[in-house]
Amino acid sequence: MDRVIFFDTTLRDGEQSPGASMNTAEKVRLATQLEKLGVDVIEAGFPAASPGDFEAVQAISQKMTKIQVAGLARTSKDDIDRAWGAIKDAAHPRIHTFIATSDIHLKHKLKMDREQVIKTAYESVRYAKSLTDNVEFSAEDASRSDREFLCRVLEAAIDAGATTVNIPDTVGYALPNEFGELISYIKGHTPNIARAIISVHCHNDLGLATANTMAGLIAGARQAEVTINGIGERAGNTSLEEIAMSIHTRKSLLNLETIINTHEIMPTSRLVSMITGIVVQPNKAIVGANAFAHEAGIHQDGILKNRMTYEIMEPATVGLTSNRLVLGKHSGRHAFRDKLKDLGYDLTKEEIDSLFIKMKELADKKKDLLDEDIDALIAEEHLRVPDIYKLDYLNVVSGTVTIPTATVILFIEGVKTQSSGFGMGPIDATYNTIAKMTGTKSNLVRFSVNSITGGMDAQGEVTVRLEEGGMLALGKGTDPDIITAAAKAYINGLNRLKYLKRNPSIDAQERSF
Ligand code: KIV
Ligand code: ZN
């Protein structure tokens, strides 16, 4: 069987999703999990983009011992030097340089002619090659490029020393048969192609990223560029879990294999969602909450008789624990620690101790705690900064005939303060009152409510993104009462904004956390 190389770009293209910025500590944590998942290459960032990006790529390079770490660079010497500066300490560094090859990009963006692009591609790869043996070249917008010209650019890049040539469908325009044919054409018309691995990098604007990537692999590409949960620029990138499980499930037909540890898929998906605040849609293939849920009576009946009637993959293969009922008020510390380990969390003793207290408090309000409840607890704890504002009491009155009114008691830097206020609805009344009490003027940029699990006693999880004076902060709150969850999320966001203001040395990248 042929092995497919997994190139994960969650930390670079994935981070380009609106609102998905991660700080350095979060990126290092995710990189560590990606290594555990078994990806071959991590694209850690675009070092020339900002000092924060450079620092994060450098930190990841210094930490990773097994996998390759790639840094993205345009074709300029400055960009390549910056990328190399950030990755040079990695055990296995890779420079990834790119230039667009479609006429539309040449004319309007690069203002270069075709010969100039060939020369630039050659020279940039040659320069990168003087720094490391491991050089990847990407022909941006390859799927909309003239094929003959594309092959000439790839030939030049390989002559200059590129060991991987990447074919992006940058704008998600290609159709699967067309994209597969493009890979076959490249194989047949690039004289030195045998000296490089062909890679595919698809965007999901038409919802075809996975289909196009599979078509590329079937046609002979041997590297797939992917992100966890499919996050990325606009409609996102090809999702890692969909490619990994397609290969795993249809191995014998495809004659392909990977070294992905599929059991780490769910923990990695949860971690990405927790860090970015981007919720996975319930019907998302492989990692959505409903991906293994059987609703229809006929299906349930079939599943009870034999799971293979309606299930093509076993939930446990992707790391979904079959016993989702996890903990309750009588669970001990030992069971809690085991559960955290099962869910893929690698926490310190102090973190576990503090979470254990929170778990008990939650179990007092909610009888059965499911995996998702534990994830939410960790997400909240993870976003915690020193509490300048702390919620002590909340009483909200609303309904069809009352003006929504909130009474709030807060500790502000340890001092107990009380106030009441009105609003258009119960959450508006709560937020107006809290804003008045804290004297803050933040804008609510995003507000989302999600039910963590099913059932009448499900916890509500609220995620907010607040903006004040150009600074952005994410806030999360969970509670069986969604108004309380909303208040907690808002206060968490305000605490984080305050923290950023008091620590201006945190760079622009980290400010958006
Ligand atoms: O989509 C794209 O073309 C890219 C390149 C930089 C590889 O992300
Ligand atoms: Zn891309």
Side-chain angles (χ1 to χ4, degrees), residues 12-13 168 170 201 203 233 237:
R12 199 276 300 170
D13 225 337
T170 303
H201 174 117
H203 280 268
E233 187 82 31
N237 288 58

Side-chain angles (χ1 to χ4, degrees), residues 9 12-13 16 43 72 96 98 136 138-142 166 168-171 201-203 225 234 237:
T9 182
R12 199 276 300 170
D13 225 337
Q16 290 174 216
E43 183 161 54
L72 183 68
H96 177 195
F98 73 99
E136 171 169 337
S138 281
E140 190 190 12
D141 208 16
N166 183 38
D169 180 23
T170 303
V171 290
H201 174 117
C202 299
H203 280 268
E225 301 204 351
R234 306 181 309 279
N237 288 58

